[in-house]
Amino acid sequence: MEENNKVPFKRLFWSSFLAILSVSSLGFVFILFLIGAIAGGIMSGLEPDAIALKENSILHLKLEGKIGEKSMFDVNLGALQINKSLGLPDIQHALQAAEKEDKIKALYIDIGNIQCGISTARSIRNAILAFSKNSKKKVFTYYQGEQISQVEFYIGSAGEKTYAFPTTNFMLTGLGGEFMFFKRLLDTLDVEVQVIRGEDNDFKSAVEPFFRTNMSDSSRVQVQRYITSIWEDMCNDIALDRNIETEELNLIADELKITRAEDAVSFGLLDGVKYRDEMMDYLMKKV
C-alpha cells in the first residue's frame, strides 16, 4: 500500500522545476522593475529644474570635466556611476540666449578641472568675448580648482575680471609634445612592420614610430611649426585681454616666473585671489 502512495519521480521533478522557474522569472522581472525605477529616479532627480529669472541675475556658467562636441549623459548601472559631459554647442547657445535676456546683468564663469583641446577652448573663449561685446555685460572668472592649467587660463582670460582660490597652483610653461617610438620593442618581439609610403612623403610621419627610434628632421620641423603657431595665437589673445605685451608673456613662460595664483596676480595675469564666499560677496556688490 505504501508503494502505491509514492509520487513518481518524474512528476515530482517537473512540478518542482516549473515552480522554481516561475518564482525565478517573477524575481527577475521584479529586479528589472526595481532597476528601472532607480534609474528613472536618478535621471529625473538630476534634471535641472526650471528657474524663474529675477531682476539683476547673474548667469552662472560652470565649466568642469570633459567638454566635447555634444552633451552626453547616461547611467552605467553595472559600474554604479553616472557619465556626463558638457557639449560646446550648449555652451554657445546658452551665452547667445543670455545676451538678449535683460534680467541677466553679468556672467560668472566658474572654472574647475576642464578637459578639452585647444580648438574647443578657443571656441568657448570666442563665445565669451562675443557675449561681452554684444551685450555690454560684465564677465567675471573664478578658478576654484587646486591647479590652473594653461587651457583653463586661456579660457578664463576672456573675462573682464579674473580671480582664483588663494592656494591654487598655476604654472605658465608654454607648449610642448612627447612622442613614443616602438621600433626597439618590435625588434625585441621579433615583429616585422611593413610600411607603404611614397618616396617624396617625408612629412607623412604618422608611421615613423614603427620603423624609427627618434624623430626625423621633417617631422620635427612640422611639429615645431604647428606647436609654435598655437602658442603664438594663445599668447596674442591672452596679452590682448590682460593688457600686457606678448614678449613679456613669453619671458614669464621661458623663465618659469609663475608657480602660484599669487604670482600671476603680481604679473597682471589675474586680478586677485579670493575664497569662494569672498567671491560671492564681490559679485553681489557688483550687481
Side-chain angles (χ1 to χ4, degrees):
M1 293 293 294
E2 293 181 358
E3 292 182 358
N4 294 333
N5 293 331
K6 289 183 178 180
V7 180
F9 172 76
K10 185 182 298 185
R11 181 179 176 186
L12 179 64
F13 171 78
W14 284 111
S15 60
S16 301
F17 175 76
L18 292 175
I20 293 173
L21 182 62
S22 301
V23 172
S24 300
S25 300
L26 290 174
F28 181 71
V29 171
F30 175 76
I31 291 174
L32 287 179
F33 175 79
L34 184 61
I35 291 175
I38 294 174
I42 293 175
M43 296 290 288
S44 62
L46 292 176
E47 290 179 356
D49 296 329
I51 299 175
L53 286 176
K54 299 180 180 180
E55 295 293 337
N56 297 327
S57 293
I58 298 176
L59 173 62
H60 181 194
L61 177 61
K62 187 171 185 178
L63 299 178
E64 188 174 23
K66 183 179 179 181
I67 301 178
E69 295 181 357
K70 63 178 182 179
S71 296
M72 184 268 293
F73 181 92
D74 61 43
V75 179
N76 187 342
L77 294 175
L80 295 178
Q81 65 182 14
I82 298 172
N83 302 318
K84 62 178 180 178
S85 64
L86 191 60
L88 174 61
D90 289 340
I91 297 173
Q92 295 170 323
H93 176 72
L95 293 176
Q96 291 171 358
E99 288 179 13
K100 306 170 185 178
E101 179 54 63
D102 295 333
K103 293 182 180 180
I104 294 178
K105 301 301 182 183
L107 171 64
Y108 167 49
I109 307 172
D110 192 356
I111 297 180
N113 180 21
I114 298 177
Q115 302 169 28
C116 71
I118 295 294
S119 59
T120 299
R122 177 172 293 171
S123 297
I124 297 174
R125 197 175 187 282
N126 290 338
I128 295 170
L129 292 173
F131 169 87
S132 178
K133 179 181 178 181
N134 297 335
S135 66
K136 309 299 181 184
K137 300 174 183 178
K138 294 183 178 296
V139 178
F140 304 96
T141 302
Y142 183 66
Y143 300 97
Q144 48 93 1
E146 295 182 358
Q147 182 172 340
I148 304 173
S149 70
Q150 293 182 131
V151 170
E152 292 164 2
F153 177 68
Y154 181 55
I155 295 174
S157 62
E160 181 180 344
K161 295 291 183 180
T162 60
Y163 298 89
F165 194 80
T167 58
T168 297
N169 296 319
F170 176 37
M171 292 187 68
L172 194 68
T173 60
L175 300 181
E178 294 182 355
F179 301 87
M180 297 182 65
F181 294 85
F182 314 114
K183 184 179 185 305
R184 290 176 181 172
L185 172 63
L186 295 173
D187 291 343
T188 302
L189 298 175
D190 196 22
V191 175
E192 180 182 355
V193 177
Q194 295 183 350
V195 177
I196 301 176
R197 189 173 68 164
E199 295 180 357
D200 299 328
N201 295 148
D202 292 340
F203 290 95
K204 300 290 186 181
S205 58
V207 293
E208 285 188 358
F210 299 101
F211 67 88
R212 291 184 61 93
T213 58
N214 57 8
M215 297 179 69
S216 65
D217 293 338
S218 56
S219 176
R220 186 178 301 276
V221 166
Q222 67 180 355
V223 169
Q224 288 178 338
R225 182 69 59 85
Y226 74 70
I227 287 182
T228 300
S229 176
I230 293 172
W231 176 247
E232 287 177 350
D233 289 343
M234 290 179 65
C235 282
N236 291 334
D237 292 341
I238 294 171
L240 180 63
D241 289 331
R242 298 307 304 169
N243 196 26
I244 65 174
E245 297 295 330
T246 304
E247 292 77 12
E248 182 181 357
L249 200 60
N250 273 306
L251 185 64
I252 292 172
D254 291 340
E255 298 184 2
L256 298 178
K257 293 185 175 182
I258 294 177
T259 58
R260 301 176 304 167
E262 293 178 344
D263 299 331
V265 175
S266 63
F267 285 101
L269 298 183
L270 295 175
D271 292 296
V273 292
K274 293 180 182 294
Y275 291 99
R276 179 171 288 277
D277 60 328
E278 295 175 331
M279 190 65 192
M280 295 299 102
D281 292 340
Y282 172 77
L283 291 174
M284 286 189 287
K285 291 177 183 178
K286 286 294 181 180
V287 179

